[in-house]
């Protein structure tokens, strides 16, 4: 089983709909992250959380919200989806100690029509 | 200046040759450096970590770090078609507020030609 699990893996929806992407991990890591990736733009950080009570905006948080329900769960919501939010979304985790790498889930491919 | 810079490529290398991927970073106090491999449509996969100046070898992969020049590279020996992917450099950057964040480069697309 994957250490970092994202659901759903693929989603097609319509403009204006509310969407939730979920991430759960069994790595025991405190830190969790949400990224989006668009062709030619690399990974862009949306939100990150260093523990259940610590949530921070990344570089492109507008139009998104997050919830850290537990140490192992971090969900990303699009309150009212728009077509330019069509992208590949990744959840990642890392250990609380400094200088550690991030470990990624398999991603969610989201299409907004 | 971007915090982490990579040549986007594409970099084309014949099978069996050495592929050399380069990355520069802006923060002189960075302490940890990572290389990820990402196949098209898949998630980034950690392949190398390096923390000290010099070379670190793992199989066909060698990471090289030069903190004085703020430069980290990845060498892939005996390149195989299966090495064709985008390679992301990631560097721990310390913000003005003292918080650490992992910053990714845009990635270099590598193609190994049979």
């Amino acid at each position: 089983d994957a250490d970092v699990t994202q659901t759903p893996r693929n989603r097609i929806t319509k403009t204006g709909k509310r969407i939730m992407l979920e991430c759960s991990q069994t790595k025991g890591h405190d830190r969790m992250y949400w990224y989006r990736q668009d062709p030619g733009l690399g990974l862009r950080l949306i939100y990150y959380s260093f523990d259940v009570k610590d949530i921070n905006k990344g570089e492109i948080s507008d139009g998104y919200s997050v919830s850290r329900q537990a140490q192992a769960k971090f969900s990303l919501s699009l309150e009212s989806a728009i077509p330019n939010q069509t992208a590949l979304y990744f959840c990642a985790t890392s250990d609380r100690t400094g200088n550690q790498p991030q470990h990624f889930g398999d991603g969610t491919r989201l299409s907004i029509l | 200046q971007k915090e982490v810079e990579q040549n986007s490529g594409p970099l084309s290398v014949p099978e069996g040759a050495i592929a050399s991927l380069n990355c520069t970073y802006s923060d002189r106090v960075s302490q940890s450096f990572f290389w990820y491999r990402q196949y098209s449509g898949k998630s980034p996969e950690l392949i190398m970590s390096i923390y000290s100046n010099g070379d670190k070898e793992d199989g066909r992969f060698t990471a090289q770090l030069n903190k004085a020049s703020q430069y980290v590279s990845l060498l892939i020996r005996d390149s195989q078609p299966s090495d064709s992917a985008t390679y992301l450099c990631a560097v721990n950057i310390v913000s003005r507020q003292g918080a650490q964040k992992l910053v990714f480069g845009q990635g270099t697309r590598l193609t190994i030609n049979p």
Side-chain angles (χ1 to χ4, degrees), chain A residues 19-112:
Chain A
I19 302 159
M20 180 180 287
L21 307 183
E22 298 187 342
C23 178
S24 63
Q25 52 115 348
T26 58
K27 299 183 77 66
H29 287 165
D30 288 307
R31 301 182 175 188
M32 299 186 73
Y33 311 81
W34 276 105
Y35 292 90
R36 68 176 278 177
Q37 189 174 43
D38 300 89
L41 292 180
L43 288 165
R44 292 187 290 169
L45 183 63
I46 306 172
Y47 270 96
Y48 61 101
S49 170
F50 281 179
D51 65 40
V52 174
K53 296 182 180 179
D54 179 40
I55 292 179
N56 305 279
K57 293 182 178 180
E59 58 184 296
I60 55 160
S61 59
D62 287 350
Y64 300 95
S65 62
V66 290
S67 174
R68 185 81 184 266
Q69 301 95 324
Q71 187 209 32
K73 295 183 182 295
F74 192 36
S75 60
L76 176 71
S77 294
L78 288 68
E79 299 302 325
S80 179
I82 55 177
N84 76 0
Q85 291 177 313
T86 293
L88 190 53
Y89 289 83
F90 290 109
C91 174
T93 74
S94 69
D95 190 70
R96 70 164 58 195
T97 56
N99 297 327
Q100 297 303 306
Q102 293 178 14
H103 302 270
F104 288 81
D106 288 339
T108 294
R109 184 169 297 279
L110 180 62
S111 296
I112 314 295

